[in-house]
Amino acid sequence: MTGTTLTTPLPQIETPLLAVALTQGGAVPASLAELDRAAAGIVGRAIASGDFKGKRDETALLYPSGAKPQRVLLVGLGKPGDVTRNSIRRAAAVAAKRARALGTTQFAFALAAEARNGVAAADVGQVVVEGAAQGAWAFTELKAAPDDPKPEVETVAIACDAKEAKALSAGERLGEATAAGHFLTRYLQMLPGNVCTPGYLADRAKQLADQHGFTCTVLDRAQMRQENMGALLAVAQGSQQDPRFIVLEYRGAGADAPVALVGKGVTFDSGGISIKPAQNMEDMKFDMSGAAAVLGTFEALGRLKPRLNVVGLIPSTENLPSGTAVKPGDVVKSHLGKTIEIINTDAEGRLILCDALSYVRRFKPAAVIDIATLTGAVVVALGQVAIGMMGNDDALLAEVREAGERAGERCWPLPLWDEYRDLLKSDIADMKNSGGRGAGSIAGGWFLREFVEGVPWVHLDIAGTAYTDGDGPHQVKGPTAIGVRLFTEFILKRAGA
Ligand code: BES
Ligand code: MN
Ligand code: ZN
């Protein structure tokens, strides 16, 4: 998605679609009076008739005569005091989704000045491009004959005052980078398990490294054995597809301690011997969404080149049942040396992540954040609205949460109190990999914590937020690329950008 700026008065903008975002209540805002006048009062009538109230996600498509835009789409922002970066991003997404449905390759976007609520011009530029990328996205690559083929929406032109064009444009560059990351992540998420294998993810990581000048190291099964990654290997032993352990390194700040991002890359999770029910099992191709978010973040990093060092780690495997698969009751030794009794082979995410969390020590990171579709329990707790967040360091938790707020990817904390550690007590090993019914997400978090030593760490459970099972007003059904914007905001803030 490309963003441009437009300083032309609204009635003079030649575009197939001019989206105008405005808030709830009242008459035509002064900033839209000129457009309304040129179009013979069409905006005023939509509002006065009560057909358009300006509620969040509400739209009205108008066909003005007398003004240059072919169509005007009013988009509701909700209550005036509630307008934030996130609601503006969302309005842009709603508009872009409509642009795609209309078959236009570009659209213009205007935010009524009265609705702005103090959001800075650069922020408007950034979030409108991000929203446009989110809303316009659709996956058609694997259809030989798409039912209703539509061109890609490639450009959003944002209307602004000449004096704000420079700041807005700077924000757009940022938005373009996260949009590109988003695009890659959703693409990888959407690919089926027979295409997106651990080897495929590793190839994409290498491609990214070539494109942007990162260092990329990939371990195969034999190298994992040398590294004693017993937990990751236990999950991988049931599959014909070779596992991969992927490491990407971006250097933007010399010898400084890096931030490490660890993404769960289970390219298909059948549950293994503790097999899942058939209903919706196909969704388990999305079990590499954490890995995809890390790769998407590196796409954004490659474009933005912030002054910070970042390491990305992706343990990747399938989780399948077979004659060689790991069994309930088996005990394995992790890379850190702690032993694990595998109670449930479907709790495989923590097994592959724990080896990555101890491997990461060699980079002496300043902070570690892992991202994983880890537990069904987080869907029960928080639904599709928030990421479940746990960690060992209050300052880092606050920093991640704040990045999530700016990104429109909200995190909600769950406690890792000592009492919960008892859930993982094993009769035979240092711990077991599943704690039973209660506090499932916390048990997963506590398991991971056992492998983090002496470094601030946050765990993000995205099982509820990585994909949606239905269309929303601002995005299509399927992958959300959650994490890409959060990580990018986090990194930019740390880099002092
Ligand atoms: N990949 C699943 C978690 C998941 C569930 C992701 C629903 C997306 C939607 C994970 O590997 C898993 O199976 N977790 C188990 C853990 C349990 C056996 C302790 C779960 O949540 O049931
Ligand atoms: Mn599982
Ligand atoms: Zn899983």
Side-chain angles (χ1 to χ4, degrees):
M1 184 64 60
T2 308
T4 61
T5 55
L6 270 176
T7 51
T8 329
L10 301 185
Q12 259 96 66
I13 298 177
E14 294 197 39
T15 176
L17 180 69
L18 168 64
V20 181
L22 59 177
T23 50
Q24 211 169 319
V28 180
S31 66
L32 301 181
E34 199 186 342
L35 174 68
D36 190 42
R37 221 175 303 124
I42 197 170
V43 178
R45 283 198 301 281
I47 295 172
S49 62
D51 292 359
F52 179 81
K53 297 186 184 65
K55 291 190 179 156
R56 191 182 62 149
D57 299 336
E58 191 187 354
T59 59
L61 186 60
L62 313 174
Y63 295 84
S65 54
K68 293 264 173 67
Q70 277 171 44
R71 309 173 184 87
V72 169
L73 181 73
L74 305 182
V75 185
L77 284 163
K79 299 200 187 85
D82 294 347
V83 173
T84 58
R85 279 166 51 104
N86 294 336
S87 54
I88 299 168
R89 186 191 296 104
R90 188 168 170 125
V94 170
K97 197 173 175 215
R98 185 65 75 90
R100 181 167 187 119
L102 291 167
T104 70
T105 58
Q106 46 136 310
F107 72 103
F109 186 91
L111 173 64
E114 297 79 357
R116 189 122 143 220
N117 201 24
V119 177
D123 287 320
V124 173
Q126 181 193 348
V127 299
V128 169
V129 174
E130 288 177 353
Q134 178 179 321
W137 185 84
F139 184 92
T140 52
E141 274 79 358
L142 297 180
K143 281 191 194 265
D147 332 305
D148 186 16
K150 297 283 189 218
E152 294 293 326
V153 182
E154 282 156 359
T155 314
V156 56
I158 308 176
C160 66
D161 277 355
K163 59 180 191 307
E164 286 194 324
K166 204 168 153 222
L168 197 108
S169 186
E172 287 182 329
R173 299 294 79 76
L174 232 164
E176 286 170 359
T178 52
H182 227 246
F183 195 84
L184 173 63
T185 297
R186 291 220 260 185
Y187 179 82
L188 294 172
Q189 285 183 280
M190 196 64 161
L191 287 180
N194 63 327
V195 177
C196 185
T197 59
Y200 181 91
L201 283 181
D203 288 345
R204 291 306 298 248
K206 283 186 206 141
Q207 255 180 42
L208 270 179
D210 287 347
Q211 257 164 26
H212 298 296
F214 308 137
T215 308
C216 182
T217 316
V218 177
L219 310 188
D220 61 16
R221 207 188 290 259
Q223 290 163 308
M224 289 175 205
R225 278 199 197 103
Q226 279 167 5
E227 285 287 347
N228 299 313
M229 295 180 161
L232 169 55
L233 283 165
V235 178
Q237 77 190 42
S239 165
Q240 299 280 322
Q241 290 288 341
D242 241 13
R244 294 285 188 277
F245 190 87
I246 306 165
V247 183
L248 275 172
E249 293 170 74
Y250 163 72
R251 253 180 205 288
D256 288 5
V259 166
L261 306 177
V262 182
K264 173 178 174 183
V266 173
T267 58
F268 187 76
D269 180 13
S270 72
I273 297 295
S274 315
I275 198 162
K276 289 180 180 294
Q279 177 102 34
N280 296 333
M281 203 207 269
E282 69 279 11
D283 282 349
M284 286 301 120
K285 72 173 182 180
F286 291 128
D287 215 20
M288 36 57 74
S289 296
V294 171
L295 292 176
T297 303
F298 272 79
E299 172 70 53
L301 277 180
R303 290 164 183 251
L304 295 169
K305 302 263 192 287
R307 277 182 230 265
L308 195 80
N309 293 331
V310 186
V311 187
L313 292 97
I314 297 173
S316 181
T317 177
E318 296 182 324
N319 184 25
L320 293 180
S322 79
T324 62
V326 75
K327 304 173 294 298
D330 287 0
V331 174
V332 300
K333 192 167 182 180
S334 65
H335 175 260
L336 185 64
K338 291 187 179 179
T339 57
I340 304 161
E341 180 187 11
I342 298 181
I343 298 295
N344 190 320
T345 66
D346 199 10
E348 85 296 342
R350 60 200 74 180
L351 294 172
I352 73 170
L353 289 169
C354 75
D355 281 353
L357 288 173
S358 59
Y359 185 89
V360 78
R361 287 174 302 171
R362 71 187 56 193
F363 297 102
K364 302 196 165 44
V368 178
I369 310 175
D370 78 72
I371 181 160
T373 45
L374 206 73
T375 64
V378 87
V379 194
V380 177
L382 300 172
Q384 301 198 326
V385 177
I387 298 171
M389 177 175 85
M390 288 148 261
N392 63 3
D393 184 275
D394 286 340
L396 185 64
L397 280 162
E399 195 180 347
V400 170
R401 190 161 167 202
E402 216 244 309
E405 286 299 320
R406 285 198 304 279
E409 299 180 339
R410 292 163 116 183
C411 302
W412 195 255
L414 297 171
L416 289 186
W417 291 321
D418 286 348
E419 289 88 330
Y420 291 115
R421 174 61 182 82
D422 294 348
L423 295 170
L424 301 176
K425 274 189 181 155
S426 163
D427 297 334
I428 182 173
D430 292 325
M431 73 195 84
K432 53 186 185 179
N433 78 326
S434 154
R437 281 182 160 291
S441 302
I442 293 173
W446 242 117
F447 183 95
L448 297 177
R449 184 182 190 165
E450 286 287 324
F451 297 86
V452 178
E453 288 187 337
V455 55
W457 154 80
V458 163
H459 158 58
L460 300 175
D461 192 335
I462 56 166
T465 45
Y467 58 94
T468 64
D469 41 26
D471 259 31
H474 59 306
Q475 64 190 15
V476 296
K477 173 185 170 185
T480 61
I482 196 138
V484 174
R485 291 198 309 244
L486 182 153
F487 283 151
T488 309
E489 292 288 347
F490 178 90
I491 289 164
L492 289 177
K493 188 83 185 279
R494 275 229 164 181

